[in-house]
Amino acid sequence: MKQEWKTIEGNISTVTQFILLGFSDLSNLQGFLFGLFLSIYMIIVIGNSLIIVLIKIEPALQKPMYFFLANFSFLEICYVSVILPRMLVNLCTQDRSISLLECATQMCFFLMLGATECFLLAVMAYDRYVAICNPLHYPLVMNQKMCTQLAVGSWIIGMPIQIGETAQIFSLRFCDSNTINHFFCDIPPIIKLACGDTSLNEIITFVLAVVIVSVPFTLILASYSKIISTILKLPTASGRAKAFSTCSSHLLVVLLFFGSATITYFSPKSNHSAGRDKLLSLFYTIVTPMFNPMIYSLRNKEVIAALRKLLFKK
């Protein structure tokens, strides 16, 4: 693997190309890993695409809840497509080099889509809050215009923040090493390669992460505190079970995504290790999107009914 450097003033060299180590330490498993991640990518794309098609063609699924689910499924396809194709190419060709511009682009899209996921999960929690706590006003509050505005807002609200964050990270000079001990261009391993004092950049990254993660998560907690309070007041056990089943899938996805992402980005720098970061990143970037279609379909009777109707339609 060749290292590319550019000489700047003072005869100091700076990195113009990175090397993504990925899983190069598992040299005997490269073929197996390629097949595994290719299978996972196909499962994610096919599973989420199927949910989008079902919601599009099935009249029974023309509801705000499923409108947001279709957005979420499309987001998951985009999210993994920022990371997995590049990883598959690296595993197949064993050429792990990535230019500085490509690395910055990958990070920017990863961060923007991650922010979108945070806010979209908050919007989905709000939708469940209105449906369960204010059922009579639900059709008026969650009308088509409101749903569209909430979805569009989720997609664009994090864009300027994450573009700015990517710009401030890649404004650093990288002159000690160009080897990234990760399978994609994530913030912690990139900052480790920077020259000089990076404390200000780490503080900015932490503050932005707090804003992007804590604001949606607080809204989700507020929504579910109201939802749980309302469900517990229902007179029958069957009514409580039905109400809880409408939001249990979403709650499970929230716990999986926010749990692993929080451990990665909010743990002290001293606790970071390459192996641990890679494992956690695999969880919230690949494993969770793979299980999301199954979580939402297997735990939702309306989706299962629509799937049966599609499969057995003459």
Side-chain angles (χ1 to χ4, degrees):
M1 297 178 192
K2 80 177 175 178
Q3 296 186 356
E4 289 193 11
W5 310 82
K6 181 180 178 183
T7 302
I8 59 173
E9 295 177 11
N11 237 7
I12 300 173
S13 296
T14 186
V15 174
T16 60
Q17 180 172 281
F18 294 109
I19 303 297
L20 283 168
L21 288 183
F23 302 97
S24 57
D25 53 326
L26 304 173
S27 56
N28 297 328
L29 298 175
Q30 298 298 291
F32 169 76
L33 290 174
F34 177 82
L36 175 65
F37 288 125
L38 179 61
S39 301
I40 290 173
Y41 187 49
M42 292 175 66
I43 290 170
I44 292 170
V45 172
I46 294 171
N48 284 288
S49 297
L50 184 59
I51 287 178
I52 294 170
V53 170
L54 284 175
I55 292 170
K56 185 71 175 177
I57 66 174
E58 178 54 50
L61 301 182
Q62 303 299 311
K63 301 175 183 177
M65 173 183 174
Y66 298 110
F67 170 76
F68 294 125
L69 178 56
N71 271 269
F72 188 73
S73 295
F74 179 67
L75 170 66
E76 295 293 60
I77 294 172
C78 296
Y79 192 60
V80 297
S81 295
V82 170
I83 297 169
L84 267 176
R86 181 82 202 194
M87 189 196 305
L88 292 171
V89 170
N90 291 350
L91 286 168
C92 183
T93 65
Q94 295 299 301
D95 178 9
R96 305 180 187 279
S97 60
I98 182 171
S99 70
L100 189 139
L101 178 60
E102 289 173 328
C103 190
T105 302
Q106 185 186 56
M107 178 186 287
C108 187
F109 276 97
F110 168 73
L111 293 176
M112 288 192 297
L113 293 170
T116 298
E117 181 151 356
C118 290
F119 286 103
L120 193 55
L121 286 170
V123 166
M124 294 170 79
Y126 175 71
D127 171 69
R128 292 299 82 209
Y129 158 73
V130 178
I132 293 172
C133 300
N134 299 287
L136 297 179
H137 295 98
Y138 183 68
L140 296 174
V141 175
M142 301 304 292
N143 55 56
Q144 186 176 359
K145 182 180 178 181
M146 174 61 76
C147 291
T148 303
Q149 289 175 340
L150 289 171
V152 171
S154 299
W155 280 93
I156 67 174
I157 192 170
M159 286 185 180
I161 298 174
Q162 303 297 27
I163 290 172
E165 183 173 13
T166 304
Q168 68 94 10
I169 289 172
F170 281 88
S171 65
L172 295 168
R173 200 157 47 84
F174 307 96
C175 56
D176 293 330
S177 170
N178 71 337
T179 303
I180 303 172
N181 194 2
H182 214 309
F183 57 88
F184 73 101
C185 293
D186 201 3
I187 295 175
I190 292 291
I191 289 182
K192 282 182 182 178
L193 300 182
C195 309
D197 184 16
T198 60
S199 56
L200 178 60
N201 300 85
E202 290 171 20
I203 291 171
I204 293 172
T205 297
F206 181 80
V207 171
L208 292 177
V210 168
V211 172
I212 293 295
V213 174
S214 65
V215 171
F217 191 64
T218 301
L219 293 173
I220 291 170
L221 287 178
S223 297
Y224 273 105
S225 64
K226 293 285 187 180
I227 288 170
I228 292 171
S229 175
T230 302
I231 289 175
L232 293 177
K233 293 176 183 177
L234 294 176
T236 63
S238 60
R240 290 192 292 271
K242 184 178 179 181
F244 185 73
S245 68
T246 65
C247 55
S248 58
S249 299
H250 174 259
L251 187 57
L252 181 58
V253 171
V254 167
L255 293 174
L256 289 172
F257 177 77
F258 278 98
S260 54
T262 299
I263 294 171
T264 301
Y265 288 100
F266 291 100
S267 60
K269 188 179 178 181
S270 58
N271 291 345
H272 281 275
S273 68
R276 173 181 168 279
D277 285 351
K278 276 193 263 190
L279 183 62
L280 285 170
S281 296
L282 271 177
F283 197 82
Y284 70 82
T285 60
I286 296 172
V287 176
T288 301
M290 180 179 69
F291 284 114
N292 284 348
M294 289 178 266
I295 291 172
Y296 277 108
S297 59
L298 296 178
R299 297 177 63 86
N300 190 298
K301 293 180 180 179
E302 288 181 310
V303 174
I304 291 175
L307 182 59
R308 285 176 178 167
K309 185 177 178 181
L310 177 67
L311 293 177
F312 298 106
K313 189 176 182 180
K314 292 184 180 179

